[in-house]
Amino acid sequence: MNVKYLAALPAAVMAVAPVFAVAGTPSAAAAAPRTYVCTAETWGGDPLPAVTVEARKNLRQAKGLAQTEWRGTAKYATIECKPS
């Protein structure tokens, strides 16, 4: 009885493998990074110079990358990023 299951196992794996191969590949448009220009203010209210960042996912990721570029001197609530 165990031999029947072992004989059918390779066929089942080969039948399901293409489904996982297609589901795991992202589209080319989703992988392309977008460029954002971000501005912000310091905790004291002074404007910071604009930075340009490339984010693959979305606006939130762009804000996080911009905050890293300013090395934590930017108040996160004041960061504004626009696609360029």
Side-chain angles (χ1 to χ4, degrees), residues 13-48:
V13 170
M14 294 303 287
V16 176
V19 173
F20 289 112
V22 171
T25 56
S27 67
R34 292 191 61 180
T35 304
Y36 293 89
V37 176
C38 302
T39 58
E41 295 179 356
T42 64
W43 288 93
D46 300 324
L48 290 167

Side-chain angles (χ1 to χ4, degrees), residues 5-84:
Y5 292 124
L6 291 177
L9 184 64
V13 170
M14 294 303 287
V16 176
V19 173
F20 289 112
V22 171
T25 56
S27 67
R34 292 191 61 180
T35 304
Y36 293 89
V37 176
C38 302
T39 58
E41 295 179 356
T42 64
W43 288 93
D46 300 324
L48 290 167
V51 295
T52 303
V53 295
E54 288 187 357
R56 289 186 180 269
K57 294 183 181 179
N58 52 21
L59 182 64
R60 183 176 178 188
Q61 184 185 22
K63 286 183 176 183
L65 291 170
Q67 187 177 29
T68 304
E69 289 289 322
W70 286 308
R71 301 185 188 274
T73 59
K75 187 174 181 182
Y76 188 80
T78 65
I79 298 175
E80 294 181 12
C81 296
K82 297 179 182 176
S84 61

